[in-house]
Amino acid sequence: MMCASVKYSSRGPALIPRMKTKHRIYYITLFSVVLLGLIATGMFQFWPHSIESSTEWTLDRRSVHDAPLVKLPVSSPIPERGDLSCRMHTCFDVYRCGYNPKNRIKVYIYPLQRFVDEVGVPISSTGLSREYNDLLSAISDSDFYTDDVTRACLFVPSIDVLNQNSLRIRETAQALAMLPRWDKGMNHLLFNMLPGGPPDYNTALDVPRDRALLAGGGFSTWTYRQGYDVSIPVYSPLSAEVDLPEKQPGPRRFFILSSQTAIHREYRIQLERLKEENGEALLLLDKCSNLSQGVASARKRCYKGQVYDYPQILQESSFCVVLRGARLGQATLSDVLQAGCVPVIMADSYILPFSEVLDWKRASVVIPEEKLPEMYTILKSIPHRQVEEMQRQARWFWDAYFRSMKAIGLTTLQIINDRIYPYAARTYEQWNNPPVVKWSSVNSPLFLPLIPPRSPGFTAVVLTYDRVESLFRVITEISKVPSLAKLLVVWNNQNKSPPEESLWPKVAVPLKVVRTKENKLSNRFFPFDEIETEAVLAIDDDIIMLTSDELQFGYEVWREFPDRLVGYPGRLHLWDHEMGKWKYESEWTNEVSMVLTGAAFYHKYFNHLYTYKMPGDIKNWVDAHMNCEDIAMNFLVANITGKAPIKVTPRKKFKCPECTAIDGLSLDQTHMVERRCDE
Amino acid sequence: MQARKKYVLLGLCTCCWLLLFYWGGLQERLLSFLTRRQGEVVRPWPDWLDRALLPGYAENAELQDGGGGGEPPRQRRQAWASIYKDSRCRMDTCFDFGRCRARDGFRVYVYPPEKNERVSESYRKILASVAESRYYTSDPREACLFVLGIDTLDRDQLSTQFVQNVDEKIRGYPLWNDGRNHVIFNLYSGTWPNYTEDLGFNVGQAILAKASLNTEHFRPGFDVSIPLFSKDHPQKGGERGWLLRNTVPPRRKYLLMFKGKRYLTGIGSDTRNALHHIHNGKDIVSLTTCKHGKDWEKHKDARCDHDNQEYERFDYQELLHNSTFCLVPRGRRLGSFRFLESLQAACIPVLLSNGWELPFSDVIQWNQAVIEGDERLLLQVPSTVRAVGVDRVLALRQRTQMLWEAYFSSVDKIVLTTLEIIKDRVYAHISRNKFMWNSLPGGLVVLPEYSTHLAHYPFYYLSLGISPGQEFTAVIHATSPLVSQSQPIMKLLQVVSKSKYCSQIIILWNSEKPPPHRSKWPPMPVPLVVTDGRRKTSSRFLPHVSIDTEAVLSLDEDTVLLTSEVNFAFHVWQSFPERIVGYPPRSHFWDPVKKIWGYTSKWTNEFSIVLTGAAFYHRYYHYLFSHYLPPSLRALVDRTSNCEDILMNFLVSSVTHLPPIKVAQRKQYKEMPGPQSTNMAPWATPEHFNQRQDCVNTFASWFGYMPLVHSQLRLDPVLFKDHVSVLRKKYKDLERA
């Protein structure tokens, strides 16, 4: 468009030949001026966003000192003190979070501002701290973040209140109230790690904050609003400085170690008494008095002139004491967890970090302060194996939830997220099981011990291609089984129609024929709507040797083990060391870890899993190779339930209607999905 | 000129159009729309240039100091005790731990009932449950916890069961001590119209075990929230959950249902008045009726008639059975009967009760069993429950059943759970963790005094991803004196010690004669321990400290076994570590004529008991047998020298809800008296048999139901009696007759 107008104006003179030169020049100039003006404004207007944002991009690489200055009038309003009765349903506006298919809250961070009072003194002596900056950038990098204030459900002020000591309480409160969306603190989240100040050390942030949520380190049971506030750890900057590699759980050089420097005199006396009684098992460290005061003093501890490196020494002990100081929350806890040392927490009324979701009984020992003299006996009574597990658990808590400001911040948001979308909340296992347990443990989806009633029986699913004669024999035989509820024939042949209705054998139960669209083996495991019972008997169209008694018994066995595959002929999978792959043997051996699904009972749920939850490449492989679908099913069930299949003894010379067989094979290796079939 | 005019006009038009385009809002919106669409440019938190120069939030020294030592602990404790009282009570400040330090530890005393005072049926059940529990004591001096004899369940002044002058009465109790160490059970508090949390008397420092607790009034870590239960709730045993099978797909006929009262006025009416909005008559059925109270017609509104009509169309029981989710909205109070009803019916509760402290919230992870809705978001409930996937519905539903059976199915369980929660607080370092409370078989049968380590229990192997140990301890129950080297026990010792999984053998000497000298026993590849059973039959299930393997093989002295039988049974036990795995089966049956339970040793197609004369089980059951069962049942076993095996089967089946496992055996066990025994063995007499029949009935009445479960199968080795060469079989001896 613009191009065209330019052409037109340049051609102007030629097209208006009869015009007077004076007029011509006049028009041409007018036109050019207008055009140029238009183009200029156009240019200016056309990229206003990119110009503006690109300046912002560049400005992003700017100093915190460039943040806009905001002056707080003396008379600006002060929020009310936190309301102790606040709960999510009274002080939190859920409508802001809305229904959301992803079940994720959106978090907005206020842009950084530097608040000063009327005479220009900042409200905080430190301003934005490194830790708070890390926290905010972590939130901004996470998928909780939104920069659209109208879509946000939770607001995080950029005013750093991590450490109350560096704050001017009244002015900070005024600054909070100045935030554009403050609205009585609704849906605002404040992070604070060091609350209170001398002499009485309150256990929650003293800054008046209306209804704002508080993620605080060092809550006591009286200040913590259960289900509203979030208890967070006190971050230890040593975590970033020192790299302590994870140590194998096991017995350590010392049994109990106390590394804190400011333990109350009464407690130190009691600890020393314990040391006298139990000698070398205890190590009581203190500040080093003779060292020159320097940076290193935080990293050294002493006992009777002997100098130890801190926090490395923590790794040398099974248990590490974490006593309360004037504050309940102690940064030592983080160091101790990092070292994989089991914390012995003695801080009455302390709300442990993330206690809403973390099971601290599995990672720590909590002892009432009064019982400090009994600490040794209490700890000695814990079984060794449990101590090892606690060591592992402690380290895992640190790895997952204490490690960095990012971990702390995102865990806090996840906890709040879980409250707002409780139906999508993370489970206890997700929060508390370390990866090694998550990997090896099995949580069966059919975990309730049920023995389903005999009625309504089972549905037999016969997969067939074109062997009609043998199919009919199978159908006739199965139809004699008393508990059969329905017969389902999966007709897997697209080129041929199933025989006419009149030709089928007459059976007492409903018989349905399902025609499939593709000749796939997976079709036999499709959760057809026609299967109305939970028990499914998958049977090939050539299994004619099973009698109705055997099938009925198989069904009875399945009822007692509804979460297992109950089948007839057994097979074994073996790891072939020479070939380096799984092989399977159909010969008679002493262990079964698989039953063929040529004739097997199983729960319909596994059909659902096979069709919708199994890794696609396994299913595709099976369909492509027309083989191994039974093995895939066996692996699936073993993987999900951690339980071996059961083989029901087929017809024998002797009468033994109650025989079943079980293997003694350990199922550890069933977690390996790799096998011959899948190569 | 015409052309010129045309061009000028055209030019002007173009200008105008361009002006409009440039300055108009159109382009602004268009642009922003376009840029939004292209990759959602989000402005993140800036990456400051001087990030590395930012100060730390606190000095290292300050952090390590932890704010200094603080005030003297003793002084602080005293200050606390004076500040944190009544509504701010916590265990630290309002509970006297000293009372629980007695030798017997946790003991509960029940006040004798007041004269001339009626006690409601529900409270009578609560008191009976406490009195029958293993924590009961009749001596207030050794008690750690006190339960009032005055019925405090219904504190609604308008109720007929309201007890007057409670304040005066309790102040008269010398042990009251401002309520310290007392538990007060309550189901209904407050009255029309506000239904406050007020009990009408001063609770002081007593622990409240109360239904419908509000989170604001709940004293965390001190009070216990209990479920609201009806007066028909059974005292013991209790019905099982209604879930018989896990149907797939798990959706039932109705997605969501509610049928109940609609309050026209007063507290709680907001939510109930809105429930009809989500009713669609198809998969969501939400029915309310205005008919309740005497004067409902006074407040009647336009909806009432239509609603009442619709209400009659559906049957509550039918809905309960056929609905996937059940709405549990608040009533006048926060909790309602709907909660337990839907929990039992395996209808996943959808809670609409803002601020309700859920029952036993201290220990139960409710978000794994219910959908916690928000009264404010009622209209979102349909879309929320529609979005719950198949797997989650299955899991939620099974968990409702697990929780129902573990903690709610009887008054006994509710009371015991309350006591156990308080006990866990008193002995915090010997307590159950959340995992124990929330996984099968539930916290009540997990005794933390046995161990606080998960791997020491038979229930958690799979969820911890570990397998049971590779060794077992054989415990042989010896009653006859050792006279010859050819006695069956000698043979048995040989057989068992040959098993490669056997780590030690314990002989429990229960004979009249003193145990023989060490040299009398044959030399053995495994350690042999002889302990004195003090001639008590129940002593065979004592948790002997010397048992250091998870598996226990319990044997009678005259058991005839083969090493391969032992090995195979041990293998099977490793697959079923929470059950009893043994050989000789017995069965129980219901005698409809005599209306009692029968016991039979006849060969039938079913069994529900395997005798512990030869059986594998986890050593934890020893502990449960000696500490979980009441002394009265153990006394019965000792008195009759009988039934200990039946009791063990009752115990294990009540924990697992599953039958024991019978494994293949070469010979019939004990069916014929051995050739060397001339006189009749004591177990073969009819008297003995009648005793066992009585035992079954006594045990069933203590458990409150029949925990035994029938099984029809026997487990054999894979190649058992298969037509393959004997040489290839792992357990060949089993088939040599």
Side-chain angles (χ1 to χ4, degrees):
Chain A
M1 170 65 77
M2 247 177 281
C3 219
S5 349
V6 174
K7 267 183 192 163
Y8 161 73
S9 63
S10 65
R11 267 200 229 149
L15 286 168
I16 321 165
R18 272 171 297 169
M19 217 188 257
K20 283 179 187 163
T21 330
K22 213 171 95 186
H23 278 126
R24 235 161 60 184
I25 295 167
Y26 169 76
Y27 273 112
I28 291 168
T29 1
L30 189 81
F31 240 87
S32 332
V33 167
V34 169
L35 259 177
L36 277 173
L38 277 176
I39 290 166
T41 29
M43 290 288 278
F44 190 74
Q45 281 279 318
F46 209 94
W47 289 286
H49 284 262
S50 34
I51 291 169
E52 216 173 80
S53 44
S54 65
T55 49
E56 272 199 14
W57 294 134
T58 47
L59 271 179
D60 264 356
R61 300 288 312 171
R62 63 196 161 158
S63 156
V64 273
H65 300 291
D66 299 336
L69 213 61
V70 179
K71 207 165 246 184
L72 294 166
V74 184
S75 58
S76 91
I78 303 175
E80 283 169 32
R81 283 199 64 84
D83 180 357
L84 265 179
S85 65
C86 259
R87 293 294 181 274
M88 290 309 263
H89 63 275
T90 52
C91 295
F92 193 87
D93 181 4
V94 273
Y95 299 111
R96 280 190 200 275
C97 309
Y99 179 73
N100 174 335
K102 275 194 207 149
N103 298 323
R104 281 228 160 245
I105 53 169
K106 286 286 166 205
V107 184
Y108 173 79
I109 304 175
Y110 284 99
L112 186 65
Q113 287 174 316
R114 288 181 301 143
F115 290 94
V116 291
D117 65 7
E118 276 191 330
V119 285
V121 182
I123 57 164
S124 150
S125 58
T126 51
L128 180 69
S129 70
R130 186 168 52 230
E131 283 79 12
Y132 199 57
N133 179 54
D134 288 349
L135 180 85
L136 294 180
S137 24
I139 295 176
S140 131
D141 289 341
S142 72
D143 51 354
F144 289 111
Y145 181 69
T146 179
D147 62 345
D148 185 353
V149 77
T150 56
R151 296 203 303 172
C153 153
L154 201 63
F155 303 87
V156 180
S158 55
I159 303 166
D160 180 354
V161 292
L162 280 183
N163 183 353
Q164 190 186 313
N165 276 352
S166 61
L167 297 177
R168 295 166 67 196
I169 307 262
R170 186 190 144 86
E171 285 74 12
T172 310
Q174 285 176 324
L176 285 174
M178 291 257 295
L179 295 173
R181 298 264 167 170
W182 180 249
D183 187 21
K184 290 245 158 236
M186 283 268 226
N187 296 26
H188 279 65
L189 174 64
L190 304 179
F191 285 90
N192 167 255
M193 284 181 176
L194 300 178
D200 53 347
Y201 286 99
N202 194 352
T203 52
L205 182 66
D206 281 321
V207 176
R209 52 185 192 277
D210 278 337
R211 296 169 162 187
L213 293 153
L214 185 59
F219 276 118
S220 86
T221 164
W222 291 288
T223 49
Y224 179 65
R225 295 170 291 184
Q226 204 170 12
Y228 193 64
D229 291 328
V230 183
S231 175
I232 59 169
V234 180
Y235 175 70
S236 166
L238 278 184
S239 310
E241 282 174 36
V242 192
D243 180 40
L244 292 181
E246 187 168 354
K247 203 174 172 182
Q248 215 44 41
R252 305 275 154 92
R253 206 167 114 207
F254 302 104
F255 187 61
I256 303 172
L257 181 114
S258 158
S259 65
Q260 285 164 297
T261 51
I263 295 175
H264 192 272
R265 203 167 40 82
E266 275 181 41
Y267 287 146
R268 194 166 280 284
I269 293 169
Q270 285 178 345
L271 281 172
E272 268 157 16
R273 204 170 300 142
L274 265 180
K275 163 122 184 104
E276 277 164 33
E277 287 161 21
N278 301 296
E280 288 300 297
L282 267 79
L283 181 63
L284 300 184
L285 299 176
D286 203 348
K287 249 183 237 153
C288 296
S289 47
N290 48 358
L291 277 186
S292 57
Q293 284 294 316
V295 197
S297 70
R299 304 271 305 271
K300 294 275 183 252
R301 291 288 187 279
C302 289
Y303 173 69
K304 286 190 178 160
Q306 205 172 348
V307 184
Y308 294 90
D309 280 332
Y310 182 87
Q312 285 82 349
I313 183 64
L314 294 174
Q315 289 202 309
E316 302 295 324
S317 179
S318 297
F319 291 97
C320 294
V321 176
V322 182
L323 254 169
R324 66 165 292 160
R327 288 203 182 92
L328 283 168
Q330 298 284 319
T332 315
L333 179 61
S334 179
D335 297 335
V336 165
L337 293 175
Q338 183 183 13
C341 181
V342 181
V344 183
I345 300 165
M346 281 175 281
D348 291 354
S349 83
Y350 178 41
I351 303 290
L352 288 164
F354 304 128
S355 58
E356 193 172 331
V357 292
L358 299 190
D359 190 348
W360 279 97
K361 282 187 186 167
R362 287 175 73 180
S364 71
V365 185
V366 179
I367 297 179
E369 290 171 44
E370 262 185 309
K371 288 202 174 168
L372 198 157
E374 295 160 45
M375 173 171 68
Y376 188 80
T377 10
I378 290 173
L379 297 181
K380 267 291 171 200
S381 69
I382 302 173
H384 290 295
R385 272 172 70 192
Q386 190 181 354
V387 175
E388 283 172 23
E389 213 175 86
M390 286 168 125
Q391 287 171 340
R392 189 178 66 183
Q393 194 80 6
R395 173 72 187 202
W396 145 250
F397 275 4
W398 181 81
D399 266 334
Y401 310 112
F402 281 67
R403 191 182 191 102
S404 57
M405 289 305 286
K406 177 182 177 180
I408 295 172
L410 296 188
T411 308
T412 309
L413 293 184
Q414 184 64 46
I415 289 176
I416 296 171
N417 195 74
D418 281 3
R419 290 184 196 153
I420 292 166
Y421 306 108
Y423 41 87
R426 297 179 64 180
T427 62
Y428 173 92
E429 283 79 11
Q430 285 169 321
W431 282 111
N432 290 288
N433 279 358
V436 53
V437 175
K438 275 187 194 134
W439 169 243
S440 60
S441 70
V442 206
N443 288 304
S444 170
L446 306 171
F447 61 86
L448 196 71
L450 287 176
I451 298 184
R454 196 165 287 125
S455 67
F458 64 90
T459 307
V461 178
V462 193
L463 184 78
T464 188
Y465 191 72
D466 56 1
R467 286 184 286 202
V468 176
E469 193 193 333
S470 122
L471 169 72
F472 285 178
R473 278 184 67 189
V474 171
I475 290 177
T476 321
E477 192 57 44
I478 301 176
S479 66
K480 293 180 200 153
V481 184
S483 284
L484 180 73
K486 192 188 249 181
L487 259 162
L488 193 68
V489 176
V490 181
W491 191 263
N492 226 1
N493 191 340
Q494 283 75 40
N495 304 322
K496 207 167 131 187
S497 300
E500 270 178 57
E501 212 176 301
S502 57
L503 298 173
W504 290 81
K506 298 282 167 288
V507 291
V509 295
L511 191 150
K512 273 259 171 98
V513 182
V514 184
R515 296 198 63 181
T516 57
K517 291 202 183 74
E518 266 180 285
N519 180 18
K520 281 202 226 161
L521 277 178
S522 302
N523 287 338
R524 80 178 317 166
F525 296 133
F526 188 82
F528 296 102
D529 287 340
E530 281 84 359
I531 307 176
E532 285 162 325
T533 60
E534 47 173 338
V536 178
L537 166 68
I539 191 158
D540 283 346
D541 57 0
D542 55 352
I543 307 279
I544 45 174
M545 58 283 203
L546 289 172
T547 64
S548 64
D549 264 4
E550 281 162 6
L551 287 171
Q552 177 66 25
F553 176 60
Y555 174 61
E556 301 288 343
V557 172
W558 175 84
R559 283 179 49 229
E560 291 191 31
F561 303 102
D563 54 346
R564 298 185 188 228
L565 273 176
V566 174
Y568 296 86
R571 272 189 196 179
L572 180 75
H573 65 190
L574 292 169
W575 180 252
D576 188 332
H577 286 286
E578 281 163 35
M579 308 273 286
K581 49 180 154 182
W582 290 100
K583 62 172 187 173
Y584 81 87
E585 222 158 295
S586 55
E587 280 190 82
W588 299 100
T589 52
N590 281 307
E591 289 174 333
V592 208
S593 62
M594 259 191 227
V595 292
L596 293 193
T597 46
F601 285 94
Y602 58 86
H603 198 287
K604 189 190 170 190
Y605 180 68
F606 296 123
N607 268 353
H608 169 82
L609 283 182
Y610 187 95
T611 310
Y612 300 115
K613 294 287 157 75
M614 198 159 68
D617 45 338
I618 298 182
K619 230 174 91 186
N620 295 341
W621 195 96
V622 167
D623 289 332
H625 292 74
M626 293 299 278
N627 200 351
C628 296
E629 91 287 2
D630 46 357
I631 300 175
M633 189 59 152
N634 269 285
F635 267 89
L636 176 80
V637 176
N639 223 334
I640 295 278
T641 64
K643 292 176 181 171
I646 285 181
K647 180 189 127 187
V648 179
T649 316
R651 181 165 27 180
K652 290 289 154 55
K653 294 284 179 287
F654 62 97
K655 282 239 155 67
C656 175
E658 57 171 67
C659 297
T660 55
I662 175 114
D663 66 31
L665 192 72
S666 125
L667 274 152
D668 294 348
Q669 63 270 62
T670 50
H671 272 281
M672 313 198 69
V673 198
E674 195 189 347
R675 59 185 179 271
R676 201 165 169 184
C677 257
D678 276 325
E679 283 161 5
Chain B
M1 252 351 244
Q2 278 293 343
R4 200 180 74 183
K5 263 187 185 166
K6 241 190 244 167
Y7 286 126
V8 170
L9 217 74
L10 200 82
L12 278 173
C13 282
T14 323
C15 291
C16 288
W17 192 84
L18 279 172
L19 278 172
L20 239 154
F21 183 77
Y22 287 141
W23 284 296
L26 176 80
Q27 153 261 57
E28 188 89 9
R29 254 169 280 150
L30 205 80
L31 263 178
S32 63
F33 179 69
L34 284 174
T35 45
R36 266 286 168 209
R37 287 287 292 274
Q38 287 161 6
E40 289 263 341
V41 185
V42 179
R43 281 178 299 156
W45 182 251
D47 183 10
W48 306 107
L49 269 175
D50 45 1
R51 195 198 149 270
L53 300 175
L54 289 175
Y57 80 105
E59 297 282 316
N60 255 337
E62 186 185 357
L63 281 174
Q64 295 192 351
D65 222 24
E71 30 176 348
R74 202 163 302 140
Q75 199 178 320
R76 189 182 57 229
R77 238 169 270 141
Q78 275 163 4
W80 276 8
S82 59
I83 304 169
Y84 298 117
K85 282 198 299 196
D86 303 327
S87 68
R88 297 203 277 178
C89 262
R90 298 293 186 271
M91 292 302 267
D92 288 332
T93 57
C94 295
F95 194 86
D96 184 0
F97 288 91
R99 280 195 163 277
C100 309
R101 295 232 175 91
R103 191 172 48 88
D104 291 326
F106 195 71
R107 284 279 170 270
V108 186
Y109 172 76
V110 180
Y111 282 81
E114 286 280 305
K115 279 175 206 127
N116 317 320
E117 199 68 74
R118 271 192 318 127
V119 168
S120 69
E121 183 65 2
S122 299
Y123 200 62
R124 195 193 54 71
K125 286 178 191 166
I126 289 181
L127 294 183
S129 300
V130 177
E132 280 179 35
S133 82
R134 59 182 184 280
Y135 300 125
Y136 177 73
T137 178
S138 53
D139 181 2
R141 279 168 306 173
E142 61 179 28
C144 162
L145 212 57
F146 298 85
V147 177
L148 291 181
I150 309 170
D151 183 355
T152 51
L153 282 188
D154 195 341
R155 299 305 297 162
D156 186 340
Q157 285 161 29
L158 302 178
S159 160
T160 50
Q161 284 166 342
F162 183 79
V163 180
Q164 304 287 340
N165 308 329
V166 175
D167 249 336
E168 281 170 33
K169 281 174 194 151
I170 51 177
R171 237 174 280 135
Y173 291 146
L175 295 162
W176 174 247
N177 191 16
D178 197 26
R180 269 184 176 242
N181 293 34
H182 282 63
V183 191
I184 290 172
F185 286 92
N186 174 264
L187 293 182
Y188 310 96
S189 67
T191 186
W192 172 266
N194 290 322
Y195 296 94
T196 54
E197 302 265 324
D198 181 35
L199 289 192
F201 65 96
N202 185 10
V203 176
Q205 308 186 22
I207 296 174
L208 269 182
K210 183 176 175 310
S212 307
L213 259 171
N214 187 317
T215 38
E216 281 168 39
H217 293 93
F218 178 71
R219 296 170 287 184
F222 190 70
D223 289 335
V224 181
S225 180
I226 60 170
L228 183 64
F229 58 89
S230 71
K231 60 179 191 308
D232 305 322
H233 210 58
Q235 202 230 312
K236 276 193 147 218
E239 257 184 83
R240 290 204 64 178
W242 292 358
L243 186 72
L244 299 176
R245 56 175 76 89
N246 282 305
T247 43
V248 177
R251 292 276 153 97
R252 296 176 177 170
K253 185 172 160 199
Y254 303 108
L255 177 72
L256 181 66
M257 79 88 164
F258 173 73
K259 189 176 179 189
K261 292 178 207 165
R262 173 155 75 95
Y263 306 128
L264 298 167
T265 52
I267 192 164
S269 60
D270 292 352
T271 304
R272 293 234 170 169
N273 262 337
L275 287 175
H276 65 83
H277 285 297
I278 58 168
H279 175 72
N280 68 8
K282 284 179 234 123
D283 61 343
I284 297 178
V285 179
S286 174
L287 307 164
T288 49
T289 178
C290 306
K291 287 187 196 167
H292 59 90
K294 284 163 240 156
D295 53 348
W296 68 274
E297 275 173 323
K298 247 193 268 171
H299 305 285
K300 189 170 157 180
D301 61 12
R303 290 202 57 87
C304 276
D305 287 327
H306 173 259
D307 280 356
N308 288 355
Q309 215 171 28
E310 191 80 1
Y311 186 83
E312 301 300 329
R313 275 184 50 216
F314 293 88
D315 175 51
Y316 180 63
Q317 290 296 321
E318 200 252 26
L319 285 173
L320 206 55
H321 272 101
N322 291 306
S323 188
T324 315
F325 296 94
C326 284
L327 267 187
V328 182
R330 60 167 299 165
R332 293 293 191 199
R333 301 183 180 85
L334 290 170
S336 72
F337 293 119
R338 299 280 174 284
F339 185 66
L340 283 192
E341 283 165 2
S342 45
L343 211 59
Q344 177 180 18
C347 182
I348 302 159
V350 178
L351 306 181
L352 288 178
S353 188
N354 285 1
W356 182 24
E357 188 69 36
L358 293 180
F360 307 134
S361 54
D362 270 25
V363 294
I364 295 178
Q365 301 260 316
W366 279 108
N367 63 13
Q368 300 308 308
V370 304
I371 304 272
E372 287 167 75
D374 188 319
E375 285 178 52
R376 293 172 290 177
L377 303 176
L378 170 71
L379 297 183
Q380 278 182 19
V381 166
S383 42
T384 306
V385 293
R386 266 183 228 286
V388 181
V390 171
D391 296 318
R392 185 125 172 96
V393 171
L394 265 181
L396 287 166
R397 185 179 289 160
Q398 292 179 76
R399 194 146 297 257
T400 59
Q401 300 296 285
M402 185 244 137
L403 293 175
W404 164 260
E405 276 166 25
Y407 305 117
F408 299 108
S409 63
S410 64
V411 177
D412 194 49
K413 280 179 186 159
I414 295 174
V415 171
L416 268 181
T417 311
T418 311
L419 295 183
E420 294 285 355
I421 288 175
I422 297 171
K423 178 167 158 267
D424 267 9
R425 291 175 187 159
V426 176
Y427 307 98
H429 56 274
I430 316 171
S431 59
R432 304 162 182 89
N433 59 39
K434 282 243 171 79
F435 186 78
M436 293 168 171
W437 281 106
N438 287 284
S439 46
L440 284 164
L444 296 187
V445 287
V446 171
L447 308 184
E449 294 83 10
Y450 163 75
S451 174
T452 43
H453 185 40
L454 292 171
H456 283 168
Y457 289 89
F459 316 116
Y460 310 123
Y461 291 117
L462 274 177
S463 29
L464 292 177
I466 54 174
S467 39
Q470 290 295 325
E471 287 179 326
F472 67 82
T473 304
V475 178
I476 301 176
H477 190 228
T479 46
S480 43
L482 198 64
V483 282
S484 86
Q485 287 294 319
S486 62
Q487 260 177 288
I489 191 167
M490 291 301 172
K491 179 87 185 16
L492 188 63
L493 282 173
Q494 290 290 332
V495 166
V496 172
S497 63
K498 256 196 279 167
S499 166
K500 60 176 180 246
Y501 306 111
C502 179
S503 81
Q504 62 169 337
I505 298 178
I506 296 173
I507 292 176
L508 190 67
W509 193 255
N510 252 352
S511 167
E512 309 279 324
K513 301 262 170 57
H517 190 257
R518 281 214 71 88
S519 58
K520 289 277 170 67
W521 299 107
M524 212 101 48
V526 292
L528 181 82
V529 184
V530 181
T531 53
D532 186 6
R534 293 166 203 279
R535 271 176 279 138
K536 278 187 174 177
T537 313
S538 65
S539 68
R540 77 182 297 168
F541 297 132
L542 274 181
H544 306 284
V545 277
S546 41
I547 302 177
D548 57 1
T549 59
E550 288 141 71
V552 175
L553 170 60
S554 167
L555 293 166
D556 281 347
E557 57 180 348
D558 52 354
T559 305
V560 181
L561 273 180
L562 297 173
T563 308
S564 56
E565 283 174 337
V566 170
N567 287 346
F568 175 65
F570 179 64
H571 262 300
V572 173
W573 176 82
Q574 286 181 309
S575 290
F576 301 95
E578 79 281 23
R579 305 206 210 175
I580 302 182
V581 173
Y583 306 91
R586 295 290 181 269
S587 190
H588 76 283
F589 61 93
W590 175 249
D591 188 336
V593 184
K594 294 191 201 151
K595 297 220 163 32
I596 51 165
W597 291 103
Y599 169 84
T600 175
S601 60
K602 287 203 186 89
W603 288 85
T604 59
N605 280 316
E606 293 189 315
F607 70 93
S608 55
I609 297 170
V610 295
L611 299 184
T612 50
F616 277 99
Y617 50 81
H618 197 280
R619 70 169 160 170
Y620 175 58
Y621 291 120
H622 271 208
Y623 193 87
L624 270 187
F625 190 93
S626 313
H627 293 88
Y628 175 75
L629 293 176
S632 62
L633 293 192
R634 282 197 303 276
L636 173 75
V637 165
D638 287 334
R639 199 170 58 242
T640 55
S641 299
N642 195 352
C643 301
E644 83 284 0
D645 45 357
I646 300 180
L647 186 54
M648 190 58 150
N649 273 278
F650 264 76
L651 175 67
V652 177
S653 281
S654 76
V655 169
T656 61
H657 299 300
L658 290 169
I661 295 224
K662 172 174 162 45
V663 288
Q665 190 192 13
R666 183 187 53 146
K667 280 184 193 156
Q668 316 310 359
Y669 166 77
K670 271 191 179 178
E671 286 312 308
M672 300 288 163
Q676 59 271 74
S677 65
T678 43
N679 54 341
M680 200 104 113
W683 45 263
T685 61
E687 189 201 342
H688 181 89
F689 189 80
N690 287 339
Q691 261 176 2
R692 288 173 84 80
Q693 179 117 344
D694 293 343
C695 284
V696 170
N697 286 292
T698 316
F699 298 157
S701 79
W702 184 79
F703 280 93
Y705 72 114
M706 170 50 76
L708 295 179
V709 186
H710 279 115
S711 170
Q712 300 189 15
L713 55 90
R714 185 184 88 198
L715 295 182
D716 293 344
V718 171
L719 290 186
F720 189 60
K721 301 208 171 167
D722 267 334
H723 290 279
V724 290
S725 156
V726 170
L727 295 173
R728 294 182 63 167
K729 295 189 178 180
K730 195 168 170 185
Y731 306 101
K732 9 186 158 357
D733 294 346
L734 255 69
E735 291 175 40
R736 278 188 212 129

